[in-house]
């Protein structure tokens, strides 16, 4: 049973962030190499979990049950399975020469000065088709890493661009979990939410592209690897399958099989090596796999102890005092509630499900159209998720590129731009809505 709203329930999250980010920043300022790897994130979260268990008022066995149910939550387990398949696909594709083939092809097709905007667009299209940012990143990360190394592009920037494009599609796709959750909780049609969302996402994407064009990535002649271009075909197969709407698990599994098959035919890739590479790919995702499970458990404890209800009550109280115009108050309330909830649970779909009911109430009180509240729910869940250093996307790209997740998250320019454009439009729309009658579009 969920306890009444309590600020104390958020203390474990504060402890985790203090240890995880504070330790990394300290070592960074001290000039230590790999500063954010000095304290492994799954270890940093353990004291927070202990604190969360101690703060609970449930019977001890019930506290453990709450934690374990959070660890086994459907979205958490889904993410972890994607991690494993992504690691296996990346390792097998690299071992068979598929990554080199795609890098060589990409460098021959895309002018070096257009690599960043090109990768943003590719990630956005694939993510829109697949309906998942995680599946998109898993499929594109190996190729993007190879392109970045060949063209000597800052890998943190490149990782941020890839996450940015993936979050664009995740936010808009009709088959995305976030779209489905947002429209169901707010009671609107997907097409209506899409149209409202597009009015904000397209200007943000345009600004992002202009920003990316300012980077001169063609200054250093890229080192095009020698590769058998036939080995790039598995990538095209999985992109086509993704565009056709095939489930992400099927896409990644077929990607692994096709990469291995092409390697066996063209370069003599062996079955024994195949099995070892799959396991190596699994182990490369060990840290983010463990952290995601533990974050799921901690989030369940915070939710059960009233931490999320405290956030909802606080947001409602503050917005009612700060904003006189009821639609503007409702819009800011939905945005703030969604952002803070995502900050606490580190999962955009779970965030929408948790904050959807309160957001709908805020929207009804402020005469905000359901399509608008659904759009804001999805937007701010994606904004925070993409920029969160302990979010799944930053963790996956950090593991794939050998970077600190914080380095990835601070370079997700589109997410910050999308948030700023959304807030700007909420403020700008105020006088228009004040003169309009009824619910505005």
């Amino acid at each position: 049973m969920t306890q009444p709203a309590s600020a104390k329930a958020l203390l474990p999250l504060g402890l985790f962030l203090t240890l995880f980010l504070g330790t990394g920043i300290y070592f960074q300022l001290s000039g230590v190499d790999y500063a954010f790897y000095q304290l492994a994130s799954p270890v940093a979260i353990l004291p927070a979990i202990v604190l969360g268990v101690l703060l609970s008022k449930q019977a001890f066995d019930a506290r453990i049950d709450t934690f374990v149910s959070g660890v086994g939550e459907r979205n958490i387990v889904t993410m972890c399975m994607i991690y494993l398949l992504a690691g296996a696909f990346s390792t097998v594709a690299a071992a068979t020469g598929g990554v080199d083939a795609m890098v060589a092809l990409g460098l021959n097709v895309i002018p070096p000065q257009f690599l960043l905007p090109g990768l943003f667009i590719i990630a956005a299209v694939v993510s829109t088709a697949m309906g998942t940012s995680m599946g998109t990143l898993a499929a594109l990360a190996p190729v993007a890493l190879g392109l970045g190394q060949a063209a000597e592009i800052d890998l943190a920037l490149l990782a941020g661009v890839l996450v940015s494009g993936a979050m664009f599609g995740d936010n808009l796709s009709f088959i995305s979990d976030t779209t489905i959750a947002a429209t169901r909780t707010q009671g609107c049609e997907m097409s209506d939410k899409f149209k409202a969302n597009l009015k904000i996402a397209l200007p943000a994407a345009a600004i992002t592209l202009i920003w990316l064009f300012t980077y001169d990535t063609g200054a250093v002649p890229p080192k095009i690897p020698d590769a058998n271009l036939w080995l790039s075909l598995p990538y095209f197969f999985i992109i086509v399958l993704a565009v056709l709407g095939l489930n992400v698990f099927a896409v990644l599994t077929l990607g692994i099989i096709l990469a291995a098959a092409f390697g066996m035919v063209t370069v003599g890739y062996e079955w024994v090596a195949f099995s070892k590479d799959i396991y190596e790919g699994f182990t490369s995702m060990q840290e983010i796999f463990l952290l995601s499970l533990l974050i799921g458990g901690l989030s369940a404890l915070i939710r059960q102890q009233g931490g999320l209800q405290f956030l909802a009550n606080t947001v409602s109280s503050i917005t009612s005092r700060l904003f006189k115009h009821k639609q503007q108050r409702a819009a800011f309330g939905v945005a703030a509630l969604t952002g803070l909830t995502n900050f606490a649970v580190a999962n955009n779909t779970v965030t929408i499900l948790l904050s959807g009911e309160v957001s709908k109430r805020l929207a009804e009180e402020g005469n905000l159209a359901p399509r608008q509240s659904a759009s804001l729910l999805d937007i701010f869940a994606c904004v925070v998720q993409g920029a969160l250093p302990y979010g799944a996307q930053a963790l996956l790209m950090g593991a794939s590129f050998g970077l600190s997740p914080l380095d990835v998250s601070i370079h997700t320019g589109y997410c910050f731009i999308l948030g700023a454009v959304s807030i700007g439009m909420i403020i700008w729309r105020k006088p228009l809505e004040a003169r309009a009658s009824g619910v505005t579009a």
Side-chain angles (χ1 to χ4, degrees), residues 119-120 123-124 127 132-134 136-137 140-141 144 155-171 208 382-388 391-398 401 405 407-415:
L119 285 171
F120 174 80
S127 184
T132 164
S133 57
M134 291 298 292
T136 299
L137 295 174
L140 297 181
L155 293 184
L157 173 62
L158 189 63
V161 168
L162 216 57
V163 172
S164 294
M167 296 313 292
F168 173 91
D170 194 318
N171 178 219
T208 301
C382 286
V383 164
V384 175
Q385 184 67 27
L388 210 59
Q393 291 74 13
L395 292 172
L396 176 59
M397 294 307 295
F401 280 32
D407 282 341
V408 177
S409 65
I410 62 177
H411 285 91
T412 54
Y414 170 74
C415 295

Side-chain angles (χ1 to χ4, degrees), residues 10 13 295 299 302-303 307-313 315 333-356 358-359 377 380-381 384-385 388 390:
L10 297 173
L13 178 64
I295 282 178
S299 298
I302 291 173
R303 182 168 62 251
L308 298 185
Q309 188 59 50
F310 170 78
L311 290 179
N313 294 347
V315 166
V334 172
L337 174 63
T338 305
L340 288 173
T341 302
N342 205 130
F343 187 77
V345 303
N347 183 295
N348 47 349
T349 304
V350 174
T351 291
I352 292 172
L353 292 172
L354 291 174
S355 56
V358 178
S359 295
L377 260 177
F380 281 92
V384 175
Q385 184 67 27
L388 210 59
Y390 52 95

